């Protein structure tokens, strides 16, 4: 760690060494290993080095990073992008460790590892997080694959060690398998969604000249992002103060993020305009043949034309033209998103409690162990 603490050595076999990075200035030491692991793991872009390092620079705020690097000998075989922060539980603010995002629930943020080491990394992570000397009482682990390494390690710990676990209601990630042609992908949309795209496109074209551009040129991404901030300010999220340009911190984060991805031509900004007036946008990142949609917004004055739907449709068409294999909408698979032909992939969420007095009391207050999360997963 930054303070020079001794690495944590697990007792679980096979034994591992865990290095702790607890200061942003030390994170760069993991860059090379992180990039290699995300490649072999197939991790979502938000679990990758570029996203996490930008988050640390721009969005960490008063939270503290606590990144774990799992090593076998000198080789790094896993990384857990964690942070420590106080989180409200009723009237209390409880020290909590969770994945490194604003609320710990951004789809795709999770521990990454070499596939052949995933089970060992999962067990080692639990041993470290639940050690009696920790400064936190609560561990929130999200984006857990059913029957994956971490899910199995948690279940094993409950069964054999009596781990204190509360299983949260599962969600379903929204993934679209991209077809080889736009016609085939469009045919997979639900009929009401196809009808909306056709009708609203026609309605908009009757009002004025319509353009729907996908900006990927590194020299144009920065200007396009500022246009997105302007559109977002005129959206319902803008009025609520939750849009991507709602604060200087948020704007700086997206500027840094898209500048980084633009250098490797992985930044994608879709903008729908009417008579040269931008009215809707999608900001997305590309990675290993996957289109990762981050944010969508539209000018509320044009709501009747369903500009958000038209922009998503155009972005998916651009994904087909680029040869992408998959698109992730980065939100739970709601009824609306299912109309795009989404595959709903179950994602589990668990809250673990340490064996400290505070941890045991908090676990009891949550009602103990919940019902089986897999059985509760919606079909």
């Amino acid at each position: 760690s930054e303070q020079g603490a001794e690495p944590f050595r697990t007792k679980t076999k096979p034994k591992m060494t865990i290095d702790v990075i607890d200061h942003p200035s030390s994170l760069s030491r993991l860059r090379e290993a992180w990039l290699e692991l995300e490649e072999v793991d197939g991790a979502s872009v938000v679990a990758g080095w570029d996203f996490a390092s930008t988050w640390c620079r721009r969005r960490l705020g008063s939270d503290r990073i606590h990144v774990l690097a799992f090593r076998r000998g000198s080789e790094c075989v896993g990384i857990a992008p964690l942070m420590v922060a106080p989180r409200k539980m009723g009237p209390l603010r409880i020290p909590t460790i969770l994945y490194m995002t604003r609320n710990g629930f951004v789809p795709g943020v999770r521990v990454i590892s070499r596939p052949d080491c995933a089970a060992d990394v999962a067990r080692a992570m639990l041993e470290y997080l639940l050690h009696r000397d920790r400064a936190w009482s609560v561990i929130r682990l999200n984006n857990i694959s059913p029957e994956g390494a971490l899910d199995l390690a948690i279940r094993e710990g409950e069964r054999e060690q009596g781990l204190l676990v509360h299983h949260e209601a599962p969600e379903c990630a929204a993934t679209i398998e991209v077809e080889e042609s736009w016609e085939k992908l469009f045919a997979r949309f639900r009929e009401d969604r196809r009808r909306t795209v056709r009708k609203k496109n026609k309605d908009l074209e009757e009002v004025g000249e319509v353009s729907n551009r996908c900006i990927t040129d590194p020299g144009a991404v920065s200007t396009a992002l500022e246009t997105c901030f302007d559109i977002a300010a005129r959206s319902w999220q803008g009025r609520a103060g939750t849009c991507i340009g709602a604060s200087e911190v948020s704007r700086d984060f997206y500027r840094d993020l898209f500048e980084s991805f633009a250098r490797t031509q992985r930044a994608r900004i879709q903008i729908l305009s009417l008579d040269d007036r931008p009215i809707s946008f999608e900001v997305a990142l590309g990675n290993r043949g996957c289109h990762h949609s981050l944010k969508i917004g539209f000018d509320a004055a044009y709501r009747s034309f369903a500009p958000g739907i038209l922009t998503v449709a155009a972005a998916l068409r651009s994904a087909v033209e680029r040869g992408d294999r998959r698109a992730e909408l980065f939100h739970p698979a709601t009824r609306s998103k299912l109309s795009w032909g989404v595959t709903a992939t179950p994602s589990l969420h668990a809250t673990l409690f340490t064996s400290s007095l505070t941890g045991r009391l908090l676990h009891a207050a949550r009602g103990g162990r919940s019902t089986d999360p897999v059985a509760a997963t919606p079909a």
Side-chain angles (χ1 to χ4, degrees):
S1 74
E2 182 71 9
Q3 286 77 22
E6 286 294 317
F8 181 84
R9 290 178 172 81
T10 66
K11 295 179 181 178
T12 304
K13 293 183 179 180
K15 294 183 179 181
M16 284 189 178
T17 299
I18 302 177
D19 291 335
V20 180
I21 302 296
D22 55 12
H23 194 279
S25 65
S26 300
L27 195 64
S28 60
R29 295 186 305 191
L30 293 180
R31 182 180 183 276
E32 185 176 343
W34 202 319
L35 291 171
E36 290 177 358
L37 283 173
E38 64 181 278
E39 190 69 29
V40 299
D41 178 280
S44 172
V45 68
V46 293
W49 163 259
D50 290 315
F51 191 94
S53 59
T54 305
W55 185 274
C56 283
R57 287 197 308 273
R58 292 299 189 182
R59 295 300 295 268
L60 196 60
S62 60
D63 299 334
R64 296 181 291 111
I65 72 165
H66 203 88
V67 176
L68 307 180
F70 303 86
R71 300 187 185 279
R72 278 184 176 174
S74 61
E75 183 183 9
C76 183
V77 297
I79 290 176
L82 298 163
M83 69 181 190
V84 180
R87 287 295 181 261
K88 288 190 67 175
M89 296 189 74
L92 305 176
R93 293 180 68 82
I94 304 297
T96 302
I97 190 163
L98 65 166
Y99 287 126
M100 191 196 300
T101 53
R102 184 170 54 190
N103 57 15
F105 275 91
V106 172
V109 181
R110 59 173 177 80
V111 60
I112 62 175
S113 62
R114 253 180 38 188
D116 61 316
C117 298
D120 298 336
V121 167
R123 287 192 292 269
M125 182 167 75
L126 293 183
E127 180 182 341
Y128 174 86
L129 293 177
L130 292 164
H131 191 272
R132 62 180 179 276
D133 293 335
R134 299 297 166 234
W136 51 82
S137 302
V138 178
I139 302 109
R140 288 171 56 181
L141 298 175
N142 311 310
N143 306 316
I144 302 170
S145 298
E147 301 300 319
L150 187 54
D151 181 33
L152 295 176
I154 292 172
R155 290 170 176 273
E156 178 185 325
E158 285 183 279
R159 185 175 60 252
E160 299 182 5
Q161 303 167 38
L163 296 189
L164 306 178
V165 183
H166 181 85
H167 294 283
E168 312 289 343
E171 291 182 344
C172 287
T175 305
I176 299 173
E177 299 303 320
V178 177
E179 299 283 357
E180 61 186 12
S181 71
W182 169 244
E183 291 73 23
K184 287 185 177 180
L185 181 57
F186 190 73
R188 285 181 49 197
F189 298 169
R190 206 166 59 197
E191 174 55 32
D192 60 338
R193 182 51 46 95
R194 296 199 300 270
R195 188 166 55 247
T196 297
V197 171
R198 293 191 190 101
K199 183 179 186 305
K200 297 303 181 180
N201 259 323
K202 182 178 179 182
D203 291 348
L204 203 58
E205 288 170 352
E206 290 176 353
V207 174
E209 184 177 349
V210 178
S211 70
N212 215 324
R213 298 180 301 131
C214 182
I215 297 98
T216 59
D217 182 357
V221 164
S222 178
T223 300
L225 187 60
E226 297 301 321
T227 298
C228 296
F229 293 154
D230 182 57
I231 298 171
R234 293 181 265 124
S235 68
W236 67 267
Q237 296 104 322
R239 291 196 297 269
T242 59
C243 67
I244 64 172
S247 68
E248 193 60 35
V249 169
S250 178
R251 289 192 292 273
D252 285 345
F253 168 71
Y254 279 98
R255 285 168 182 147
D256 274 15
L257 185 67
F258 275 75
E259 179 183 349
S260 173
F261 276 79
R263 286 195 292 268
T264 50
Q265 295 188 318
R266 293 180 296 154
R268 301 165 180 179
I269 299 179
Q270 192 81 32
I271 296 180
L272 171 65
S273 299
L274 178 64
D275 290 333
D276 294 326
R277 176 182 172 83
I279 64 172
S280 182
F281 72 89
E282 181 203 65
V283 292
L285 301 172
N287 206 40
R288 298 190 302 274
C290 184
H291 175 82
H292 304 262
S293 176
L294 294 181
K295 286 283 187 177
I296 299 163
F298 59 86
D299 188 330
Y302 296 87
R303 186 181 187 90
S304 62
F305 293 102
I309 290 176
L310 297 184
T311 302
V312 172
L316 290 175
R317 185 165 192 161
S318 296
V320 171
E321 293 168 354
R322 279 190 304 269
D324 287 339
R325 302 183 302 276
R326 191 172 77 257
E328 294 182 359
L329 299 186
F330 271 148
H331 296 283
T334 60
R335 183 179 298 275
S336 173
K337 292 180 180 65
L338 289 173
S339 65
W340 292 107
V342 158
T343 298
T345 306
S347 177
L348 308 180
H349 311 298
T351 300
L352 288 75
F353 302 86
T354 65
S355 59
S356 66
L357 177 59
T358 301
R360 293 197 302 271
L361 289 174
L362 290 171
H363 178 255
R366 294 293 291 270
R369 192 186 190 284
S370 69
T371 56
D372 187 277
V374 175
T377 302

